[in-house]
């Protein structure tokens, strides 16, 4: 007799899926913990193919960052994890940047990268040439960089322990907005001419 | 003169109740941290009588799990705690299961239970017969079980450090849905005949 | 051929048990996250029988709190969960107290309790008479109490979402130490005579 | 040629601001992690001038607490930090209180304060006279107080590691609401006459 | 004049590196938050080459898991992140397993995988065929699996939001230790003959 | 009869102080959660006078940061809170910097400051002139700065929601160590001459 079995089953599973995941509803309210949860989900909410293609490296940095954060891949919302793809053409560079509050782990897929970070004692630089299959960890919030150190296109993947780690890129934060030249000069010790030159290149004003 | 006193009082308590609790509004938006907060609450939001009655054990497992998670008892929403009642008839069993990300603490109220968990080194089984008044802790996320090991009805209460710990029951996750038999066979080493037999009993397809 | 199988098995399980639990070594160093981990454990580290016996209620409050926190039950160390037993004789009371930073969930086993908490807006009291099988949640850090409201011995169990929730009991913190009477008077608005009387009863000085 | 540069820039910064902050929308839904996020923000959302003025100390405690919690200063919503200003006239006192789940750090700006907290072992009082420039930390959830110990108006600032720490003031939680006198007497050991007197002063009933 | 500059510099950086990272000292005390910190570190503590080589898939599952958790790669200790390499020969499978409390994000490097997880409502299976460059997220603590669904060797990398996520593999936890056959039968509904057969293959007793 | 009272008291307070605080033992083992706990503490462990004196601003930046982090003030260890004093002479500046993973709240005590931060979208600058009594919050991990914008010495206090927030100062991380000039040029777009000039001033090599 099967019916009593099903009674017991449905009884046992009376807690909702909310315990399991919270696929982000990009149109719903957002709170400090992330997007609100979509009501209906399928497996496609948990799979993303946006990192399969090579990023366009025809730009100033000869590199591209393709993120799969909660805004692009809402399946990670609330799960505290995300990933991004790095493509670096020959001579390409992922400029000096930080992720506010998230640690990063890089995995080199193709090519050779020079990667490094600086600790907050200002004295210490931790940098090394990474080859295919190497991994390196960049502790949360510290300045770090990656440079294509080889003679071929390079590909790497960077994981984060946050669904939305953010990327704060130093030269863009300084030179691509309206932060006044005088303020930059005082707070970075850079020369005014240097600042104005880079604001010109990067579209900044002030 | 009382009036200036009240001025000072209302001044001192200008922070809202939001610091204290967030009773779940089951009809409002849900986010990674739980339900949104009900606007008006009474003491009845913090009290629940749903665990007072014996669960119905007339089923396949001769047992019942009665949860007081945030879906049943919205007062625990956001507080990181919940509880459930276990009833096990003679011969009853709470099958092999996990709670994703929550630790569990069992307290035996009546009867005798054999309880145990396996650590992730695969080599170690931690199981013991528990009597009235005994407690046992099951570390977060590990497979565990409880079996009525006595000759009387047994009652236990299990606490969790999550308002919504979830319950993933192995045999239901395998045999009560449409996970294909071939996939189950490959990933569990179970024989196809065994799988098909249990899918038949538990209502699974595929 | 079985041997290659075992090679693969030991390979798959190369992560240690540290991922699973950290039974407290009460003699090792203690840090902000709890005790350091015992190196060798058995099932007995995860089971505790210290709550099975009725607490001794022959005292001023006609009640007893028997904790199974990490100091008494090191198996919960690092797992963010613990429990305690409350025994209240007729007329017994668990006095006004808080648990710094932990939420509490009470389950009434025997008898009838009047339980309540005050929210931090000072205006609101949430109290109710609880019967056998009732549960009530006390949000983290708020003042609360339990009183035997019936004509029989009462037993309850209180769960916490911390392995070491602490108990700060108001009358002991005020009157059982050397906090000066003048300081107490100024900060609580109690009369000096009242304070001195209770210091006499509870062994306080100053 | 500037255009390809901007393509790369906008590509690099495709993650949203949600990674950075979540200024509280006081009219939106509230969840366990705080208010939902305002959609448009300016620098004024991150600056608050409400602590610049001296609080009104013409009241029973000759003191004032001016909070900049998430309800008053929504810029801290989700950031786990807040601050409040304390003004104490000569003879002023911040009465015995707790912050549920938040630690506090006091900085004395002007004057002399006697400050202290009690640990949960009931035996230990940690109190000291603080002068201008001194800081003291009050661990999360513990009873503490501050008294103007000098002959001049005193000012201090208290920081919290929560955007909404709450304030539970003992005498208000006891005597300014409808918690019955008999319950207070049983749970605090205070005399009925004392309780009724303070209920009269503080506007309590019951 | 350079000397006063250096005074100011050393003053500004008086906080230690402990804020930045805590490379695990595998020989020091272990606590709930991980290993204690090595006193001296170099860049080599943050780089690991152990995932560069193909794992040995000459085993029962025709697959290998090569972890870079804190025990193998102490640089991730305390940083809440780690990674592992999966190699699956043709016909290979990563069996049904969970990671207690950690979410996982898989990236397919080579080949084609069928991957899936079951949510805790028992009804829902989320599985899909993944191709090179695809990613999929497996929410914390849920049962999941990966199967080589193609005709070539497959490689994938799995990231975790924990430095020590653990791996609990169902068939090993059931059949490779001394959990008694009768207990397994009662808690999984598997037939005794099936259990004994797998215990024989996998080295279990009882 | 007083004796039974004391039995009950000591029974009620059987949990240790470890629930309350963990004053750092700077000579003991350090773990991811901070220093291990001192065994014996006094009130002096919770009070610090090191912020009372004006910092020495006779340096390149005409400013001083005086921290009370866990290394200087071990009482905050494990409590998730700390503070620092900023002194800025006329023309003084706290250079562009981040705190990895901690949010900051500034309170202006004396003088006038221009303060600001950049969000991670690179486009947005949030800066404002702050006067005495103003507060401003700098979200976790984002670049920010403070400049004395007035004609007098300025003093401010900055609170953090971490006992060890760290300070990563951009110009020191770039120019005061051995990070090669070529790497800096590629990752920041600064000119080589600019880099070499600042390395000369700040003592960097490479």
């Amino acid at each position: 007799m099967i019916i009593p079995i099903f009674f017991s089953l449905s009884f046992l599973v009376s807690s909702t899926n909310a315990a399991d995941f919270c696929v982000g509803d990009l149109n719903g309210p957002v709170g400090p913990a992330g997007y609100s949860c979509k009501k209906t989900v399928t497996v496609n909410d948990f799979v993303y193919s946006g990192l399969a293609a090579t990023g366009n490296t025809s730009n100033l940095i000869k590199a591209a960052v393709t993120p799969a954060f909660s805004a692009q891949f809402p399946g990670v919302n609330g799960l505290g994890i995300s990933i991004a793809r790095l493509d670096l053409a020959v001579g390409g560079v992922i400029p000096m940047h930080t992720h506010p509050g998230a640690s990063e782990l890089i995995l080199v897929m193709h090519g050779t990268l020079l990667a490094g970070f600086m600790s907050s004692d200002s004295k210490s630089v931790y940098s090394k040439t990474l080859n295919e299959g190497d991994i390196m960890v960049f502790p949360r919030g510290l300045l770090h960089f990656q440079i294509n150190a080889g003679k071929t296109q390079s590909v790497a993947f960077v994981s984060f322990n946050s669904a939305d780690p953010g990327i704060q890129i130093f030269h863009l934060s300084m030179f691509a907005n309206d932060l006044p030249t005088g303020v930059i000069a005082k707070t970075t010790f850079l020369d005014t001419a240097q600042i104005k030159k880079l604001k010109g290149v990067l579209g900044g004003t002030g």
Side-chain angles (χ1 to χ4, degrees), chain A residues 71-134:
Chain A
Q72 295 83 30
F73 179 31
V76 296
N77 184 56
L79 295 180
I81 197 165
S82 64
I83 194 166
R85 173 181 177 136
L86 307 183
D87 288 285
L88 299 94
V90 175
V93 58
I94 305 297
M96 199 65 72
H97 67 288
T98 60
H99 306 285
S103 292
E104 171 182 330
L105 198 153
I106 193 171
L107 167 70
V108 179
M109 275 298 110
H110 296 301
T112 302
L113 293 180
L114 175 67
F117 71 89
M118 275 68 67
S119 67
S120 67
D121 68 358
S122 301
K123 297 282 189 299
S124 305
V125 178
Y126 299 92
S127 78
K128 193 166 184 178
T129 300
L130 307 178
N131 298 305
E132 286 186 23
D134 284 351

Side-chain angles (χ1 to χ4, degrees), chain A residues 174-175 179-192 195:
Chain A
M174 289 299 116
F175 309 121
L179 185 62
T181 296
V183 168
I184 302 173
K186 271 192 99 68
T187 59
T188 64
F189 296 89
L190 298 176
D191 292 338
T192 297
I195 296 165

Side-chain angles (χ1 to χ4, degrees), chain A residues 1-9:
Chain A
M1 190 184 70
I2 275 183
I3 288 165
I5 295 171
F6 278 94
F7 269 79
S8 84
L9 296 187

